[in-house]
Amino acid sequence: MRKRKMGFSKLFVIILGLLLALTLDQCTAQEFRCSSPSSCRALVGYITVNNTNLGAIHSLFNVTSFQSLLGANDLPLSTPRNRTIAARQLIRVPINCVCYNGTGTSSGGPTYTIQPGDELYHIAAEVFSQLVLFPQIAAANNISNPDLIVVGDTLQIPLPCSCDDVDGQKVVHYAHVVEPNSTLLEIAQEFGTDEATLARINGITITAQNQLKAEQPIDVPLKACNSSVRSDSLDFPLLAANGTYVFTANGCVRCTCEAANNWTLHCEPSQNRPSRWERCPSMQCEGSQGLSLGNVTTSGCNRTTCSYAGFNNSTIFTTLVQDSSCTTSTPSNDVSRISLKWDIVIISVLFCLHLVMLETI
């Protein structure tokens, strides 16, 4: 009987330890390091819990414009708001990010109005799909007791983000929710970075993979296209990841990032109605013989592009960018390969002759 009691005691301790570990996992989050003095555009990966639509996601995250949500997912501008998004489907959501005390967090949204039956854990884990933990929501809203929240109150939702350069390069920081049993190497390969970089910016030791917490966001740097945007522009730094497009200059300009375009941001007039101007300002490049934003002219191997350079309260800046459209041919390696093949053949023949001579001795 005494042995049975000891067995129950050990089982109780084990269960208590597991519960404590689970609780600690829900109370300690992976913070995104951020020390940049400038705000920036970042992305979060939202995995829907139930069937929904793009319009509902746009409203939930308070995204500035519906077109911004379409651009982050490279969807056609004709995509309707009621387009169905199936449960467990990934949607990239653009957010504005600011740095404070070495940590990045979303600015200007999203906000959430508490509904009947809500709990902070439910809001964090299900409504916002584990992009944030409930203690972070409590801290951001000065809630001392997470069990005491008032229906109708509005909560600030602090989503993780960063604006820092990585290895001297401009990147779009992406909050990726780690799936169970994932590894740093797998995540790095999926997003075109390397394991060491992921470990460094997230404060994780590569040899200690247990530090990678499942179902919590990790900071993934996505390479951004190079641009000619001036540092005094209202949209500096203008960051766009491969396979996305963004609207800027009060909606007058659309910029697309494609790796196939030599990782150079391509911008052109959006044909949209501007959000803060009566009409879009001129987008012509000076001294370009009539070139406007996005236009290209070539002369032999020389290519001149009228590129976007930023905007202020009344003007859209443009600049002429010149590069070469001709690729330099590299000498063929066929000769060296043929020589190498003949070397192998000669060595093989000599080796066979040597074996025959040994057999005849």
Side-chain angles (χ1 to χ4, degrees):
M1 191 70 179
R2 185 176 180 182
K3 289 183 179 179
R4 183 178 296 177
K5 287 183 178 180
M6 289 293 292
F8 281 130
S9 298
K10 289 182 179 179
L11 181 61
F12 175 77
V13 171
I14 292 172
I15 293 174
L16 184 62
L18 290 173
L19 290 174
L20 180 60
L22 289 172
T23 302
L24 289 175
D25 266 353
Q26 290 300 324
C27 293
T28 57
Q30 178 70 47
E31 293 185 339
F32 285 22
R33 300 172 181 175
C34 188
S35 57
S36 172
S38 303
S39 61
C40 71
R41 178 180 177 273
L43 295 171
V44 297
Y46 176 64
I47 301 176
T48 60
V49 176
N50 302 306
N51 292 343
T52 183
N53 59 59
L54 284 175
I57 296 174
H58 171 244
S59 299
L60 175 65
F61 284 89
N62 306 132
V63 181
T64 305
S65 72
F66 185 65
Q67 289 183 336
S68 297
L69 183 62
L70 296 178
N73 295 278
D74 199 23
L75 294 172
L77 289 176
S78 58
T79 305
R81 293 179 60 88
N82 63 357
R83 172 170 172 170
T84 300
I85 303 299
R88 303 302 300 168
Q89 184 175 340
L90 173 67
I91 294 294
R92 293 184 177 185
V93 180
I95 62 172
N96 187 52
C97 181
V98 295
C99 305
Y100 181 73
N101 285 340
T103 302
T105 188
S106 53
S107 172
T111 59
Y112 178 78
T113 302
I114 300 173
Q115 304 297 313
D118 274 346
E119 296 178 350
L120 287 189
Y121 175 82
H122 161 74
I123 296 171
E126 297 182 13
V127 177
F128 288 94
S129 193
Q130 298 170 323
L131 283 167
V132 62
L133 299 183
F134 77 87
Q136 293 175 306
I137 298 178
N141 293 275
N142 297 316
I143 298 174
S144 57
N145 187 348
D147 294 326
L148 297 178
I149 56 176
V150 180
V151 173
D153 280 0
T154 300
L155 300 174
Q156 292 288 334
I157 307 298
L159 300 177
C161 59
S162 180
C163 296
D164 290 353
D165 294 350
V166 175
D167 297 329
Q169 300 294 320
K170 295 292 183 185
V171 299
V172 177
H173 287 267
Y174 173 61
H176 166 71
V177 176
V178 177
E179 295 183 1
N181 302 317
S182 293
T183 67
L184 277 180
L185 180 59
E186 291 171 344
I187 297 173
Q189 291 174 340
E190 179 181 355
F191 293 101
T193 183
D194 60 81
E195 189 179 23
T197 299
L198 276 185
R200 185 176 71 255
I201 67 175
N202 286 281
I204 297 174
T205 305
I206 294 180
T207 56
Q209 292 286 345
N210 60 316
Q211 295 177 343
L212 189 62
K213 298 178 180 179
E215 300 180 339
Q216 287 196 25
I218 186 175
D219 187 0
V220 177
L222 305 178
K223 183 176 180 179
C225 274
N226 300 315
S227 76
S228 302
V229 175
R230 298 162 27 165
S231 59
D232 62 344
S233 173
L234 294 178
D235 58 359
F236 179 85
L238 181 59
L239 303 176
N242 182 38
T244 67
Y245 60 87
V246 298
F247 290 91
T248 187
N250 291 328
C252 290
V253 176
R254 171 179 170 170
C255 297
T256 304
C257 175
E258 295 290 348
N261 190 35
N262 198 29
W263 288 100
T264 300
L265 199 65
H266 175 72
C267 300
E268 58 189 358
S270 68
Q271 310 303 328
N272 289 340
R273 181 189 297 268
S275 58
R276 296 184 180 179
W277 291 324
E278 291 185 6
R279 61 181 180 178
C280 294
S282 170
M283 304 183 204
Q284 187 171 354
C285 275
E286 294 184 4
S288 63
Q289 299 180 349
L291 282 185
S292 294
L293 181 64
N295 293 158
V296 179
T297 183
T298 57
S299 177
C301 286
N302 297 321
R303 179 173 56 192
T304 302
T305 304
C306 181
S307 297
Y308 175 71
F311 79 105
N312 61 18
N313 291 327
S314 59
T315 305
I316 291 178
F317 305 122
T318 56
T319 184
L320 290 174
V321 176
Q322 296 183 344
D323 62 354
S324 176
S325 59
C326 299
T327 57
T328 56
S329 59
T330 56
S332 173
N333 289 327
D334 291 343
V335 174
S336 61
R337 289 175 181 173
I338 292 173
S339 299
L340 180 61
K341 289 179 180 179
W342 275 110
D343 288 344
I344 294 173
V345 170
I346 293 172
I347 292 172
S348 300
V349 171
L350 291 175
F351 181 73
C352 290
L353 288 174
H354 177 69
L355 290 178
V356 171
M357 292 177 63
L358 289 177
E359 289 180 356
T360 56
I361 295 176

